[in-house]
Amino acid sequence: DDQIPDQKLEAIVSQAEFYDEYCSGLGPVTIEDPLKSGHGGTQISEPDISAIQPSVIHARRVFSDSKMNKHVRSLKKGKIDGGILGKRAWGEDDRIFRKKIKPEGVDFEVCVGMDMSSSTAMNGSFRSIVQIGYSTAELLSRVGVDFSLWGHRTIRDGRLTNQFMFACKEVNEPWSNSSKEKCLSIRPGHGSLDGHNFEFYRKVLQRSRARKKLLIYFTDGVIPETNKAQELPILRREFKMLKRLDIATLGVGILTDSPKDVGMDCVHVSDPSNLTAVLKEIEKRIDHAK
C-alpha cells in the first residue's frame, strides 16, 4: 500500500523490459534517436570505405557459404546420387545415396555496440570507435547480414544513473543514409554501465531467429567503468550466459586490451585507422561461429 514515487515507478517499469533484475541505483533505460537528442546532426567524418573492400570479398565468401544448400554424399541410405551410381553400383559399393541439407531460418545476426562514455571524448577515441562501427555496418550490409548498430553511455539524474542506448540502426531497418547520419552524429558523455550494456545486447540477440549470432563491443578502456561493484558481477554473469546461449562475442579495444582482465575475448587495436585489420579479426569469429 506504500506510495511509489513516479520517478522510481518509471525506472521499475523501464528496467523490467530490458533487465533481468531491478537495480535501485539506476533510472529508466532510454532508447534514443541520435538525430533527435540534441547532437546537431553529422559531426564525424565518414571513413574511407574503400579500405574495407578486401574484407568484403572474404566476408561474402564466409556468409554465402553458410546460406547455400549442402549435399552430403557417400551415404548408405537416402536418395540415389546419380553422379556416382554408375561408378559404385558395379563394384557392390552401397555408398550410392545422398541427402540435401537446407539452412533453416536466418543465418547470422550481428549486434554492434559502441562505447560513448566520457573517456572516449577525453582521449578522442570516440571518433575511431564511430568510424570502425560505421565500417563494420557497411561490411555487414554489403554481404547481406542482418545487424543492429548501437551506441551506449549514461546520464546522471540526481542520485540515479540512467542508461542511454543510441539506436543508429535496429535489425529490421535498412542501412540507409538516415542510419549512417545517426551513426556519425552520436556524442560521448558520462559513464558506461558495461554489465547492463551486455545484458541489453544479449536480449537483442535472444529475440533473433538467426542460427548464428555475434556481439561486437567497441571500447576504449577498462570495463566495467561505472559502478564497478554492481556491474562486474553482472558482466561476468552475462559472459557465461552468452556462452551458454552460443552467442559469439568479440571486444575491440581501442589502444587497449584491458577487457581481457574480466575474461572477455578482446582484440587490441594499436592503429585505429587500420580498419581492415579490425574487420579481419571480426571475420575470424564469424568464420569460427559457422
Side-chain angles (χ1 to χ4, degrees):
D1 294 332
D2 293 339
Q3 183 69 33
I4 300 177
D6 290 344
Q7 185 183 33
K8 186 174 183 179
L9 182 60
E10 181 185 1
I12 291 172
V13 172
S14 174
Q15 289 186 36
E17 182 178 356
F18 300 106
Y19 301 161
D20 289 339
E21 299 175 353
Y22 169 68
C23 296
S24 59
L26 304 183
V29 182
T30 301
I31 297 180
E32 190 79 68
D33 180 340
L35 296 179
K36 298 179 181 179
S37 57
H39 288 177
T42 302
Q43 300 290 330
I44 301 173
S45 300
E46 182 178 354
D48 179 10
I49 296 303
S50 64
I52 72 169
Q53 191 56 38
S55 297
V56 171
I57 295 171
H58 177 70
R60 183 171 288 120
R61 179 183 59 78
V62 170
F63 287 113
S64 62
D65 284 351
S66 72
K67 295 178 182 179
M68 292 168 56
N69 293 335
K70 292 180 174 58
H71 293 277
V72 180
R73 303 180 185 276
S74 300
L75 301 177
K76 294 184 179 181
K77 62 180 180 179
K79 291 187 176 181
I80 294 289
D81 188 348
I84 61 174
L85 178 61
K87 298 177 182 179
R88 291 182 174 172
W90 299 108
E92 298 183 354
D93 189 337
D94 58 356
R95 295 175 300 150
I96 58 174
F97 299 94
R98 71 175 182 179
K99 68 177 178 180
K100 180 187 289 187
I101 299 177
K102 296 182 179 181
E104 298 179 358
V106 178
D107 292 288
F108 283 91
E109 182 173 321
V110 180
C111 179
V112 181
M114 300 181 290
D115 180 7
M116 288 290 110
S117 59
S118 58
S119 63
T120 67
M122 290 186 288
N123 60 28
S125 64
F126 78 95
R127 292 184 176 84
S128 298
I129 290 174
V130 167
Q131 290 185 332
I132 293 173
Y134 183 107
S135 297
T136 304
E138 185 71 22
L139 170 74
L140 296 171
S141 176
R142 291 190 183 192
V143 298
V145 174
D146 289 340
F147 72 95
S148 56
L149 179 64
W150 304 82
H152 53 257
R153 66 180 176 89
T154 64
I155 291 179
R156 290 288 297 177
D157 183 8
R159 296 182 178 180
L160 297 178
T161 299
N162 297 341
Q163 186 181 30
F164 272 69
M165 309 301 295
F166 294 101
C168 302
K169 177 193 173 303
E170 297 200 49
V171 70
N172 58 348
E173 297 176 334
W175 179 237
S176 61
N177 288 335
S178 175
S179 300
K180 295 174 182 180
E181 187 177 2
K182 289 177 184 179
C183 179
L184 297 174
S185 299
I186 56 178
R187 284 291 173 274
H190 299 274
S192 175
L193 298 172
D194 293 292
H196 283 97
N197 293 336
F198 270 84
E199 186 171 14
F200 180 94
Y201 295 137
R202 184 253 299 172
K203 288 178 177 287
V204 168
L205 288 172
Q206 273 191 284
R207 293 193 292 268
S208 170
R209 294 176 56 250
R211 293 184 301 115
K212 295 293 183 181
K213 305 169 187 179
L214 173 66
L215 168 57
I216 304 170
Y217 197 83
F218 292 103
T219 183
D220 75 319
V222 176
I223 63 172
E225 177 184 337
T226 306
N227 295 345
K228 183 174 182 178
Q230 186 178 59
E231 294 298 311
L232 185 56
I234 297 173
L235 194 61
R236 288 174 172 161
R237 180 199 71 194
E238 288 301 312
F239 288 159
K240 292 179 181 178
M241 190 169 295
L242 286 162
K243 186 175 182 179
R244 187 168 67 249
L245 294 170
D246 199 26
I247 297 175
T249 61
L250 173 63
V252 180
I254 306 301
L255 302 177
T256 183
D257 62 358
S258 58
K260 289 183 177 179
D261 295 340
V262 291
M264 185 178 181
D265 180 17
C266 182
V267 176
H268 178 198
V269 181
S270 58
D271 180 7
S273 65
N274 190 355
L275 302 178
T276 302
V278 175
L279 293 172
K280 283 183 178 179
E281 291 296 328
I282 292 170
E283 290 162 7
K284 286 178 185 177
R285 274 66 180 183
I286 293 172
D287 201 17
H288 177 72
K290 187 182 70 171

mmCIF file with all atom_site columns, all heavy atoms in Angstrom, residues 254-271:
data_model
loop_
_atom_site.group_PDB
_atom_site.id
_atom_site.type_symbol
_atom_site.label_atom_id
_atom_site.label_alt_id
_atom_site.label_comp_id
_atom_site.label_asym_id
_atom_site.label_entity_id
_atom_site.label_seq_id
_atom_site.pdbx_PDB_ins_code
_atom_site.Cartn_x
_atom_site.Cartn_y
_atom_site.Cartn_z
_atom_site.occupancy
_atom_site.B_iso_or_equiv
_atom_site.pdbx_formal_charge
_atom_site.auth_seq_id
_atom_site.auth_comp_id
_atom_site.auth_asym_id
_atom_site.auth_atom_id
_atom_site.pdbx_PDB_model_num
ATOM 1   N N   . ILE A 1 254 ? 40.236 -0.126  -28.317 1.00 0.00 ? 254 ILE A N   1
ATOM 2   C CA  . ILE A 1 254 ? 40.987 0.930   -28.987 1.00 0.00 ? 254 ILE A CA  1
ATOM 3   C C   . ILE A 1 254 ? 42.158 1.327   -28.090 1.00 0.00 ? 254 ILE A C   1
ATOM 4   O O   . ILE A 1 254 ? 41.977 1.904   -27.025 1.00 0.00 ? 254 ILE A O   1
ATOM 5   C CB  . ILE A 1 254 ? 40.096 2.153   -29.274 1.00 0.00 ? 254 ILE A CB  1
ATOM 6   C CG1 . ILE A 1 254 ? 38.841 1.743   -30.040 1.00 0.00 ? 254 ILE A CG1 1
ATOM 7   C CG2 . ILE A 1 254 ? 40.874 3.212   -30.039 1.00 0.00 ? 254 ILE A CG2 1
ATOM 8   C CD1 . ILE A 1 254 ? 39.112 1.078   -31.369 1.00 0.00 ? 254 ILE A CD1 1
ATOM 9   N N   . LEU A 1 255 ? 43.361 0.969   -28.501 1.00 0.00 ? 255 LEU A N   1
ATOM 10  C CA  . LEU A 1 255 ? 44.588 1.241   -27.756 1.00 0.00 ? 255 LEU A CA  1
ATOM 11  C C   . LEU A 1 255 ? 44.622 0.530   -26.403 1.00 0.00 ? 255 LEU A C   1
ATOM 12  O O   . LEU A 1 255 ? 45.299 0.986   -25.474 1.00 0.00 ? 255 LEU A O   1
ATOM 13  C CB  . LEU A 1 255 ? 44.785 2.753   -27.561 1.00 0.00 ? 255 LEU A CB  1
ATOM 14  C CG  . LEU A 1 255 ? 44.837 3.589   -28.850 1.00 0.00 ? 255 LEU A CG  1
ATOM 15  C CD1 . LEU A 1 255 ? 44.953 5.072   -28.524 1.00 0.00 ? 255 LEU A CD1 1
ATOM 16  C CD2 . LEU A 1 255 ? 46.017 3.158   -29.718 1.00 0.00 ? 255 LEU A CD2 1
ATOM 17  N N   . THR A 1 256 ? 43.889 -0.571  -26.259 1.00 0.00 ? 256 THR A N   1
ATOM 18  C CA  . THR A 1 256 ? 43.870 -1.310  -25.002 1.00 0.00 ? 256 THR A CA  1
ATOM 19  C C   . THR A 1 256 ? 43.392 -2.737  -25.231 1.00 0.00 ? 256 THR A C   1
ATOM 20  O O   . THR A 1 256 ? 42.684 -2.999  -26.206 1.00 0.00 ? 256 THR A O   1
ATOM 21  C CB  . THR A 1 256 ? 42.943 -0.624  -23.971 1.00 0.00 ? 256 THR A CB  1
ATOM 22  O OG1 . THR A 1 256 ? 43.000 -1.337  -22.736 1.00 0.00 ? 256 THR A OG1 1
ATOM 23  C CG2 . THR A 1 256 ? 41.499 -0.614  -24.458 1.00 0.00 ? 256 THR A CG2 1
ATOM 24  N N   . ASP A 1 257 ? 43.795 -3.625  -24.342 1.00 0.00 ? 257 ASP A N   1
ATOM 25  C CA  . ASP A 1 257 ? 43.199 -4.954  -24.321 1.00 0.00 ? 257 ASP A CA  1
ATOM 26  C C   . ASP A 1 257 ? 42.701 -5.272  -22.913 1.00 0.00 ? 257 ASP A C   1
ATOM 27  O O   . ASP A 1 257 ? 42.550 -6.426  -22.531 1.00 0.00 ? 257 ASP A O   1
ATOM 28  C CB  . ASP A 1 257 ? 44.187 -6.025  -24.802 1.00 0.00 ? 257 ASP A CB  1
ATOM 29  C CG  . ASP A 1 257 ? 45.426 -6.121  -23.913 1.00 0.00 ? 257 ASP A CG  1
ATOM 30  O OD1 . ASP A 1 257 ? 45.534 -5.325  -22.951 1.00 0.00 ? 257 ASP A OD1 1
ATOM 31  O OD2 . ASP A 1 257 ? 46.275 -6.991  -24.166 1.00 0.00 ? 257 ASP A OD2 1
ATOM 32  N N   . SER A 1 258 ? 42.440 -4.217  -22.141 1.00 0.00 ? 258 SER A N   1
ATOM 33  C CA  . SER A 1 258 ? 42.044 -4.383  -20.739 1.00 0.00 ? 258 SER A CA  1
ATOM 34  C C   . SER A 1 258 ? 40.774 -5.204  -20.540 1.00 0.00 ? 258 SER A C   1
ATOM 35  O O   . SER A 1 258 ? 40.630 -5.825  -19.481 1.00 0.00 ? 258 SER A O   1
ATOM 36  C CB  . SER A 1 258 ? 41.883 -3.009  -20.073 1.00 0.00 ? 258 SER A CB  1
ATOM 37  O OG  . SER A 1 258 ? 40.932 -2.221  -20.748 1.00 0.00 ? 258 SER A OG  1
ATOM 38  N N   . PRO A 1 259 ? 39.819 -5.250  -21.487 1.00 0.00 ? 259 PRO A N   1
ATOM 39  C CA  . PRO A 1 259 ? 38.659 -6.123  -21.268 1.00 0.00 ? 259 PRO A CA  1
ATOM 40  C C   . PRO A 1 259 ? 39.019 -7.590  -21.060 1.00 0.00 ? 259 PRO A C   1
ATOM 41  O O   . PRO A 1 259 ? 38.226 -8.351  -20.505 1.00 0.00 ? 259 PRO A O   1
ATOM 42  C CB  . PRO A 1 259 ? 37.843 -5.927  -22.552 1.00 0.00 ? 259 PRO A CB  1
ATOM 43  C CG  . PRO A 1 259 ? 38.148 -4.535  -22.973 1.00 0.00 ? 259 PRO A CG  1
ATOM 44  C CD  . PRO A 1 259 ? 39.620 -4.376  -22.662 1.00 0.00 ? 259 PRO A CD  1
ATOM 45  N N   . LYS A 1 260 ? 40.241 -7.994  -21.463 1.00 0.00 ? 260 LYS A N   1
ATOM 46  C CA  . LYS A 1 260 ? 40.671 -9.373  -21.215 1.00 0.00 ? 260 LYS A CA  1
ATOM 47  C C   . LYS A 1 260 ? 40.758 -9.664  -19.722 1.00 0.00 ? 260 LYS A C   1
ATOM 48  O O   . LYS A 1 260 ? 40.653 -10.823 -19.295 1.00 0.00 ? 260 LYS A O   1
ATOM 49  C CB  . LYS A 1 260 ? 42.037 -9.627  -21.863 1.00 0.00 ? 260 LYS A CB  1
ATOM 50  C CG  . LYS A 1 260 ? 42.007 -9.699  -23.381 1.00 0.00 ? 260 LYS A CG  1
ATOM 51  C CD  . LYS A 1 260 ? 43.380 -10.017 -23.942 1.00 0.00 ? 260 LYS A CD  1
ATOM 52  C CE  . LYS A 1 260 ? 43.332 -10.150 -25.459 1.00 0.00 ? 260 LYS A CE  1
ATOM 53  N NZ  . LYS A 1 260 ? 44.684 -10.440 -26.030 1.00 0.00 ? 260 LYS A NZ  1
ATOM 54  N N   . ASP A 1 261 ? 40.941 -8.616  -18.905 1.00 0.00 ? 261 ASP A N   1
ATOM 55  C CA  . ASP A 1 261 ? 41.079 -8.804  -17.461 1.00 0.00 ? 261 ASP A CA  1
ATOM 56  C C   . ASP A 1 261 ? 39.801 -9.343  -16.825 1.00 0.00 ? 261 ASP A C   1
ATOM 57  O O   . ASP A 1 261 ? 39.853 -9.906  -15.728 1.00 0.00 ? 261 ASP A O   1
ATOM 58  C CB  . ASP A 1 261 ? 41.460 -7.467  -16.795 1.00 0.00 ? 261 ASP A CB  1
ATOM 59  C CG  . ASP A 1 261 ? 42.832 -6.967  -17.234 1.00 0.00 ? 261 ASP A CG  1
ATOM 60  O OD1 . ASP A 1 261 ? 43.626 -7.792  -17.724 1.00 0.00 ? 261 ASP A OD1 1
ATOM 61  O OD2 . ASP A 1 261 ? 43.095 -5.753  -17.084 1.00 0.00 ? 261 ASP A OD2 1
ATOM 62  N N   . VAL A 1 262 ? 38.670 -9.154  -17.487 1.00 0.00 ? 262 VAL A N   1
ATOM 63  C CA  . VAL A 1 262 ? 37.414 -9.689  -16.955 1.00 0.00 ? 262 VAL A CA  1
ATOM 64  C C   . VAL A 1 262 ? 36.932 -10.883 -17.775 1.00 0.00 ? 262 VAL A C   1
ATOM 65  O O   . VAL A 1 262 ? 35.766 -11.273 -17.711 1.00 0.00 ? 262 VAL A O   1
ATOM 66  C CB  . VAL A 1 262 ? 36.316 -8.596  -16.892 1.00 0.00 ? 262 VAL A CB  1
ATOM 67  C CG1 . VAL A 1 262 ? 36.649 -7.561  -15.847 1.00 0.00 ? 262 VAL A CG1 1
ATOM 68  C CG2 . VAL A 1 262 ? 36.090 -7.947  -18.254 1.00 0.00 ? 262 VAL A CG2 1
ATOM 69  N N   . GLY A 1 263 ? 37.850 -11.450 -18.556 1.00 0.00 ? 263 GLY A N   1
ATOM 70  C CA  . GLY A 1 263 ? 37.539 -12.682 -19.276 1.00 0.00 ? 263 GLY A CA  1
ATOM 71  C C   . GLY A 1 263 ? 36.887 -12.502 -20.627 1.00 0.00 ? 263 GLY A C   1
ATOM 72  O O   . GLY A 1 263 ? 36.308 -13.445 -21.167 1.00 0.00 ? 263 GLY A O   1
ATOM 73  N N   . MET A 1 264 ? 36.995 -11.308 -21.204 1.00 0.00 ? 264 MET A N   1
ATOM 74  C CA  . MET A 1 264 ? 36.365 -11.053 -22.487 1.00 0.00 ? 264 MET A CA  1
ATOM 75  C C   . MET A 1 264 ? 37.343 -11.295 -23.631 1.00 0.00 ? 264 MET A C   1
ATOM 76  O O   . MET A 1 264 ? 38.518 -10.923 -23.559 1.00 0.00 ? 264 MET A O   1
ATOM 77  C CB  . MET A 1 264 ? 35.875 -9.606  -22.551 1.00 0.00 ? 264 MET A CB  1
ATOM 78  C CG  . MET A 1 264 ? 35.098 -9.277  -23.796 1.00 0.00 ? 264 MET A CG  1
ATOM 79  S SD  . MET A 1 264 ? 34.513 -7.556  -23.778 1.00 0.00 ? 264 MET A SD  1
ATOM 80  C CE  . MET A 1 264 ? 33.632 -7.504  -25.326 1.00 0.00 ? 264 MET A CE  1
ATOM 81  N N   . ASP A 1 265 ? 36.877 -11.944 -24.684 1.00 0.00 ? 265 ASP A N   1
ATOM 82  C CA  . ASP A 1 265 ? 37.670 -12.121 -25.898 1.00 0.00 ? 265 ASP A CA  1
ATOM 83  C C   . ASP A 1 265 ? 37.844 -10.758 -26.548 1.00 0.00 ? 265 ASP A C   1
ATOM 84  O O   . ASP A 1 265 ? 36.877 -10.164 -27.029 1.00 0.00 ? 265 ASP A O   1
ATOM 85  C CB  . ASP A 1 265 ? 36.943 -13.089 -26.842 1.00 0.00 ? 265 ASP A CB  1
ATOM 86  C CG  . ASP A 1 265 ? 37.722 -13.325 -28.129 1.00 0.00 ? 265 ASP A CG  1
ATOM 87  O OD1 . ASP A 1 265 ? 38.921 -13.020 -28.163 1.00 0.00 ? 265 ASP A OD1 1
ATOM 88  O OD2 . ASP A 1 265 ? 37.108 -13.817 -29.098 1.00 0.00 ? 265 ASP A OD2 1
ATOM 89  N N   . CYS A 1 266 ? 39.062 -10.229 -26.533 1.00 0.00 ? 266 CYS A N   1
ATOM 90  C CA  . CYS A 1 266 ? 39.271 -8.843  -26.942 1.00 0.00 ? 266 CYS A CA  1
ATOM 91  C C   . CYS A 1 266 ? 40.474 -8.717  -27.870 1.00 0.00 ? 266 CYS A C   1
ATOM 92  O O   . CYS A 1 266 ? 41.515 -9.337  -27.644 1.00 0.00 ? 266 CYS A O   1
ATOM 93  C CB  . CYS A 1 266 ? 39.475 -7.956  -25.709 1.00 0.00 ? 266 CYS A CB  1
ATOM 94  S SG  . CYS A 1 266 ? 39.682 -6.203  -26.085 1.00 0.00 ? 266 CYS A SG  1
ATOM 95  N N   . VAL A 1 267 ? 40.325 -7.917  -28.895 1.00 0.00 ? 267 VAL A N   1
ATOM 96  C CA  . VAL A 1 267 ? 41.399 -7.608  -29.841 1.00 0.00 ? 267 VAL A CA  1
ATOM 97  C C   . VAL A 1 267 ? 41.939 -6.214  -29.536 1.00 0.00 ? 267 VAL A C   1
ATOM 98  O O   . VAL A 1 267 ? 41.168 -5.253  -29.429 1.00 0.00 ? 267 VAL A O   1
ATOM 99  C CB  . VAL A 1 267 ? 40.882 -7.664  -31.292 1.00 0.00 ? 267 VAL A CB  1
ATOM 100 C CG1 . VAL A 1 267 ? 41.983 -7.257  -32.250 1.00 0.00 ? 267 VAL A CG1 1
ATOM 101 C CG2 . VAL A 1 267 ? 40.381 -9.052  -31.628 1.00 0.00 ? 267 VAL A CG2 1
ATOM 102 N N   . HIS A 1 268 ? 43.253 -6.104  -29.388 1.00 0.00 ? 268 HIS A N   1
ATOM 103 C CA  . HIS A 1 268 ? 43.905 -4.826  -29.116 1.00 0.00 ? 268 HIS A CA  1
ATOM 104 C C   . HIS A 1 268 ? 44.180 -4.118  -30.435 1.00 0.00 ? 268 HIS A C   1
ATOM 105 O O   . HIS A 1 268 ? 44.869 -4.660  -31.301 1.00 0.00 ? 268 HIS A O   1
ATOM 106 C CB  . HIS A 1 268 ? 45.211 -5.073  -28.355 1.00 0.00 ? 268 HIS A CB  1
ATOM 107 C CG  . HIS A 1 268 ? 45.996 -3.832  -28.073 1.00 0.00 ? 268 HIS A CG  1
ATOM 108 N ND1 . HIS A 1 268 ? 47.330 -3.844  -27.735 1.00 0.00 ? 268 HIS A ND1 1
ATOM 109 C CD2 . HIS A 1 268 ? 45.644 -2.529  -28.084 1.00 0.00 ? 268 HIS A CD2 1
ATOM 110 C CE1 . HIS A 1 268 ? 47.767 -2.621  -27.554 1.00 0.00 ? 268 HIS A CE1 1
ATOM 111 N NE2 . HIS A 1 268 ? 46.758 -1.792  -27.762 1.00 0.00 ? 268 HIS A NE2 1
ATOM 112 N N   . VAL A 1 269 ? 43.650 -2.917  -30.604 1.00 0.00 ? 269 VAL A N   1
ATOM 113 C CA  . VAL A 1 269 ? 43.844 -2.139  -31.825 1.00 0.00 ? 269 VAL A CA  1
ATOM 114 C C   . VAL A 1 269 ? 44.796 -0.988  -31.528 1.00 0.00 ? 269 VAL A C   1
ATOM 115 O O   . VAL A 1 269 ? 44.438 -0.035  -30.841 1.00 0.00 ? 269 VAL A O   1
ATOM 116 C CB  . VAL A 1 269 ? 42.497 -1.592  -32.354 1.00 0.00 ? 269 VAL A CB  1
ATOM 117 C CG1 . VAL A 1 269 ? 42.727 -0.805  -33.638 1.00 0.00 ? 269 VAL A CG1 1
ATOM 118 C CG2 . VAL A 1 269 ? 41.524 -2.715  -32.589 1.00 0.00 ? 269 VAL A CG2 1
ATOM 119 N N   . SER A 1 270 ? 46.029 -1.084  -32.001 1.00 0.00 ? 270 SER A N   1
ATOM 120 C CA  . SER A 1 270 ? 47.022 -0.033  -31.759 1.00 0.00 ? 270 SER A CA  1
ATOM 121 C C   . SER A 1 270 ? 46.922 1.082   -32.786 1.00 0.00 ? 270 SER A C   1
ATOM 122 O O   . SER A 1 270 ? 47.339 2.211   -32.527 1.00 0.00 ? 270 SER A O   1
ATOM 123 C CB  . SER A 1 270 ? 48.434 -0.628  -31.769 1.00 0.00 ? 270 SER A CB  1
ATOM 124 O OG  . SER A 1 270 ? 48.684 -1.273  -33.007 1.00 0.00 ? 270 SER A OG  1
ATOM 125 N N   . ASP A 1 271 ? 46.390 0.765   -33.949 1.00 0.00 ? 271 ASP A N   1
ATOM 126 C CA  . ASP A 1 271 ? 46.241 1.757   -35.013 1.00 0.00 ? 271 ASP A CA  1
ATOM 127 C C   . ASP A 1 271 ? 44.776 1.791   -35.443 1.00 0.00 ? 271 ASP A C   1
ATOM 128 O O   . ASP A 1 271 ? 44.355 1.005   -36.292 1.00 0.00 ? 271 ASP A O   1
ATOM 129 C CB  . ASP A 1 271 ? 47.135 1.410   -36.208 1.00 0.00 ? 271 ASP A CB  1
ATOM 130 C CG  . ASP A 1 271 ? 47.002 2.425   -37.343 1.00 0.00 ? 271 ASP A CG  1
ATOM 131 O OD1 . ASP A 1 271 ? 46.323 3.460   -37.136 1.00 0.00 ? 271 ASP A OD1 1
ATOM 132 O OD2 . ASP A 1 271 ? 47.575 2.187   -38.415 1.00 0.00 ? 271 ASP A OD2 1
#
